[in-house]
Every structure is written in C-alpha cells, then in structure tokens.
Amino acid sequence: MRAVVLAFVGLLVLTSLTLGLSFAPLGPWHVPVALLIAAAKTLLVALVFMDLASQRAVNWLAILVALLLLAVFVGLSSLDVVTRTLFRA
Amino acid sequence: MAGALNVDERRQATGGAHLHEHFATLETQTHAAIFGTWVFLASEVLFFGALVTLYAGYYVADPAAFHAAARHTDLVLGSLMTYLLLSASFLVAAAVVAIRADGHRFAALALAAAALIGVVFLALKLLEWSDHFAHGLYPGAYLASEQISGRGARAFFTLYYVMTGVHFLHVTAGVVVLAALAWLTHRRRFDAVYHTPLEVGGLYWHFVDIVWLFLWPMFYLWR
C-alpha cells in the first residue's frame, strides 16, 4: 500500500510541476518537457498502479511492441510532413 | 496413474470454484487473463496512437497554429480533470492492494469512489464542450470563433473533439466496469485468492488515465 501512496504523491507532484513549467519561459522546450514528464508519470502508473514491476516479462513485451510500432508510425508520418517543404521535388 | 490427484483434489489445491477446466492451475489462469489484458491494452495504444499520429502530423505542419488554438481550451478544467483521474487511479490501485489482503469493505468503497470520480470527470467534459460551443469552437469546418481561424485551428479542434470524445467513451466504459466491480466486491465475490476481474478492470482504468496524461499537454498546455 505504501508504494501505491508514494506513487500517487509522485504523480501529484509531477502534474503540478508540469502545470508550473507551462507558465515558465521555456520557448521551444515546452513541448518536449511536458511530454517527458507525461512519460515519467506513465511509467509510475504502469510500474506501480498497474503492477508491471512485479509481473512477468511477457506482459512487458505486449506494451513494448505497441510502443515501438507507435514510434515508427508517429516518427515516419511526422518526417513525411516536416520534409515536404525542405525537399520539394 | 494411481498417485495422481483427481480433478476435485486438484481444484481444492488450486482455487476451488474459480478454476476453469482448461487451466492446470489458478496461477496459469490468472496469468492468461492478465497477459490477455495487456495485449488488449497494446491494441488500444495503437488505436489512440493512430490519432496521435494524426496530431503529430498536423502539429509539425503548423506548430504556431496549434499553440494558438490551445490557448482556447480551459486550462483550469483540464488540469482539474487530470488530478481527478489520477485520484481515481490511486483508489483503484489501493482497492487491488486491499483485496489481496481480504479487505472487501475498503476495496468496495474505493472502487465506488473511483467510479464516482469518473462520473464527475464525464460531467466536467460535457460542461467544457458546451462552453466551447458557446464560443463558436466547433469541430472541423464548423469552427466559427472570432479569435482563431485557419487550417491549423480547424485541425486542432477536430482532433480535440475526436480524441477527447473517444476518451470520453472509454471513461464511460471504465465507470461502468468500476461500478460493477464495486458491487461484486461488496457482495464478497472476490478475496485474496481470487480477484482477477478486479485486476483486469484496474488495468483498463489505468490505461484510460494514461491516455489522458497525454491528452492534457496536447490540448491544454501549449501556449
């Protein structure tokens, strides 16, 4: 139970941090900072709330494969859009 | 074989009435359920991922427009909803920990409270959308706001309504699941030996929470 409570406190802190940083003058860093903190929160939820830390490795496999595919989809699709102006044929 | 356990003795040793015939032990059965749930969640990751891909594509095409459009969502409401969902997830996780120690009463209460928080989330979302409509912030070609317009803004708001709308449906399903689990827990259907449906329902709810953890920065935090 203590792990769950600590994780919850951590999530509240990280959420408040995200909120606070969104008002800071970070310029182009707002997006990666917010997404990185969101990823950290996701890890907390997954490892503690969803108990992934104490589950079998094969359960990790399902999520890792999905994340890998997602990275490919998002990455390559964005690459296509971003390079449209750069490499106009 | 003379020394082998018969079916009844085996069931006795491995979880009683909860063990289904095609599983050797309760542990195997539980693992199958949990692994199956993770595979389902992986498919859901890709489902939302398709929408995230769209968002990423339109975002890199016109980042300034997305940042401008994000100023028109309600940061206070959005942040409140983030805190609410995190609290509900905490309650669900606490319920699972409790039931592992035969704590029915606490688990049932925690699940019911989480379901209630889910209902509050849904109500706030509807309130939010009706407020958007009052300011002319409709999806797609119907965007008719005095303050923002253009392709980027239309893309942003279309994605906003689709993604938060789909998430809304997921939260609704989650609330129904949590309420059912709360009721079953109250009726003593689960205990330390068997509480797999609770774990499965919990996994789903945490996933829905994780999706919102990304929707929040994507639609509320850029400025």
Side-chain angles (χ1 to χ4, degrees):
Chain A
M1 184 63 87
R2 211 179 67 173
V4 166
V5 173
L6 283 174
F8 180 51
V9 172
L11 285 167
L12 292 177
V13 167
L14 287 174
T15 305
S16 308
L17 180 69
T18 315
L19 197 55
L21 284 176
S22 74
F23 290 97
L26 297 175
W29 288 101
H30 272 120
V31 175
V33 163
L35 290 177
L36 257 159
I37 303 183
K41 286 154 70 178
T42 302
L43 259 170
L44 263 177
V45 174
L47 290 173
V48 183
F49 286 179
M50 296 171 94
D51 221 6
L52 200 51
S54 52
Q55 282 180 14
R56 302 195 195 185
V58 75
N59 292 342
W60 292 76
L61 193 65
I63 283 301
L64 287 176
V65 167
L67 287 178
L68 191 70
L69 289 174
L70 189 62
V72 170
F73 297 157
V74 175
L76 290 185
S77 302
S78 304
L79 199 65
D80 172 55
V81 175
V82 148
T83 54
R84 274 179 201 173
T85 334
L86 287 177
F87 301 109
R88 186 156 281 166
Chain B
M1 290 181 288
L5 293 173
N6 64 39
V7 174
D8 289 320
E9 283 167 82
R10 206 189 65 198
R11 281 220 175 94
Q12 200 86 1
T14 55
H18 301 296
L19 185 61
H20 295 253
E21 293 219 10
H22 54 294
F23 288 107
T25 64
L26 193 63
E27 209 244 356
T28 315
Q29 176 178 298
T30 307
H31 167 65
I34 301 292
F35 178 59
T37 308
W38 278 108
V39 171
F40 167 66
L41 292 183
S43 77
E44 288 272 83
V45 166
L46 291 175
F47 173 72
F48 276 98
L51 296 170
V52 168
T53 305
L54 270 178
Y55 178 98
Y58 280 108
Y59 178 92
V60 299
D62 193 352
F66 267 52
H67 283 248
R71 293 193 200 109
H72 295 269
T73 51
D74 192 331
L75 181 61
V76 172
L77 266 182
S79 306
L80 177 62
M81 291 193 277
T82 308
Y83 286 109
L84 282 176
L85 281 187
L86 285 174
S87 304
S89 265
F90 163 66
L91 287 168
V92 171
V96 172
V97 171
I99 205 66
R100 282 185 191 147
D102 282 316
H104 309 90
R105 231 160 291 161
F106 176 82
L109 274 171
L111 289 168
L116 218 73
I117 293 178
V119 172
V120 172
F121 177 92
L122 295 175
L124 287 178
K125 205 81 205 76
L126 291 173
L127 219 81
E128 216 193 335
W129 286 338
S130 63
D131 184 60
H132 289 322
F133 292 161
H135 289 96
L137 295 168
Y138 294 96
Y142 301 99
L143 187 70
S145 157
E146 295 148 351
Q147 286 126 3
I148 47 162
S149 61
R151 225 168 68 173
R154 283 199 298 275
F156 180 87
F157 276 101
T158 306
L159 282 162
Y160 169 76
Y161 283 110
V162 170
M163 293 189 79
T164 57
V166 166
H167 182 257
F168 183 95
L169 292 174
H170 279 75
V171 173
T172 307
V175 165
V176 171
V177 166
L178 288 182
L181 288 173
W183 176 250
L184 289 173
T185 309
H186 170 70
R187 301 289 289 165
R188 311 230 145 190
R189 279 283 213 96
F190 307 126
D191 57 19
V193 170
Y194 177 74
H195 52 269
T196 311
L198 224 159
E199 301 231 22
V200 170
L203 284 178
Y204 175 78
W205 182 262
H206 295 312
F207 168 76
V208 170
D209 184 19
I210 290 175
V211 170
W212 180 262
L213 288 181
F214 284 95
L215 292 185
W216 179 50
M218 282 162 65
F219 293 108
Y220 295 87
L221 292 184
W222 315 147
R223 232 160 283 119

